[in-house]
Amino acid sequence: MIMLILGLLIFLGIHCVGFFPEWRQRRVNGMGLLPWKGLYSLIALAGFVLIVLGFQRARLDPVVLYASPTWLNHLNALFTLIAFVLLAAAYVPGNRIRARLGHPMVVATKVWAFGHLLAIGLLHDVVLFGAFLVWAIVAFAKLRRRDRAQGVTYAPATLKGDVITLVVGVLAWALFAFWLHGALIGVRPFG
């Protein structure tokens, strides 16, 4: 569990750098953009590896905190579908979701983490998804506050952008839910 927590602190910690744009800019000015991106990526990757290894080890000795009813697994599938559409909205230009939310990837993280917390009550899952949920709540509030202070506006939405966002999100969700989740995570949500 210590490795999982350390990984979360490193991974989510480095993702908090964006909350302090002046500090980040001083680092970029001091070392250059590419070295900064390289260092940032190495730190994030190290945190991610620790999360994966720590989570795998914690799964070997599970601690049950609560048992969720089976129907919450189905609700989690819906939350995850919504999260994938939100994730697609972060990358597809000209969609209403991005225009409305500004930071759909962070909202996707909130939805994904919340759904998993509802459905899974093992200690290592609560630590993992709880940490991501708390980070995403704080990140969204800080990013939206920064956007308002800077007068940020997002590109106008088009029907084409909305349709592409929806199709890409649903297809990515189906691919992950029916095949990749089992192969990568070891749990097959749909048997």
Side-chain angles (χ1 to χ4, degrees):
M1 188 65 72
I2 292 172
M3 188 182 297
L4 172 61
I5 293 169
L6 180 61
L8 287 165
L9 289 172
I10 293 169
F11 185 81
L12 296 175
I14 196 66
H15 282 85
C16 289
V17 169
F19 302 163
F20 309 99
E22 296 85 13
W23 182 88
R24 178 194 175 279
Q25 192 57 49
R26 285 195 302 271
R27 303 291 83 73
V28 170
N29 292 344
M31 62 191 318
L33 183 60
L34 290 179
W36 166 256
K37 285 184 174 185
L39 179 62
Y40 183 99
S41 297
L42 283 174
I43 292 170
L45 181 61
F48 183 75
V49 167
L50 287 172
I51 289 169
V52 170
L53 295 175
F55 191 78
Q56 287 175 340
R57 287 186 182 173
R59 288 171 84 181
L60 298 174
D61 191 21
V63 176
V64 177
L65 297 178
Y66 55 89
S68 297
T70 305
W71 64 268
L72 283 178
N73 289 330
H74 304 296
L75 186 60
N76 183 34
L78 176 62
F79 277 125
T80 307
L81 171 60
I82 293 167
F84 268 90
V85 172
L86 288 164
L87 185 61
Y91 294 100
V92 175
N95 65 78
R96 282 175 179 75
I97 296 171
R98 183 177 181 115
R100 175 78 174 110
L101 298 176
H103 302 278
M105 184 183 296
V106 178
V107 179
T109 303
K110 285 199 283 191
V111 171
W112 164 80
F114 181 70
H116 280 74
L117 281 171
L118 288 177
I120 310 167
L122 300 174
L123 177 61
H124 58 277
D125 291 300
V126 171
V127 168
L128 176 72
F129 299 117
F132 272 95
L133 180 60
V134 168
W135 174 85
I137 290 169
V138 171
F140 188 74
K142 286 196 147 300
L143 292 169
R144 290 299 283 190
R145 192 173 310 126
R146 184 188 69 192
D147 288 353
R148 283 191 299 275
Q150 295 176 353
V152 173
T153 57
Y154 295 94
T158 65
L159 181 59
K160 178 182 175 184
D162 294 341
V163 170
I164 292 171
T165 298
L166 188 60
V167 169
V168 168
V170 170
L171 290 176
W173 171 82
L175 176 67
F176 195 78
F178 289 101
W179 293 285
L180 294 178
H181 199 280
L184 298 174
I185 312 298
V187 176
R188 300 183 64 81
F190 296 104

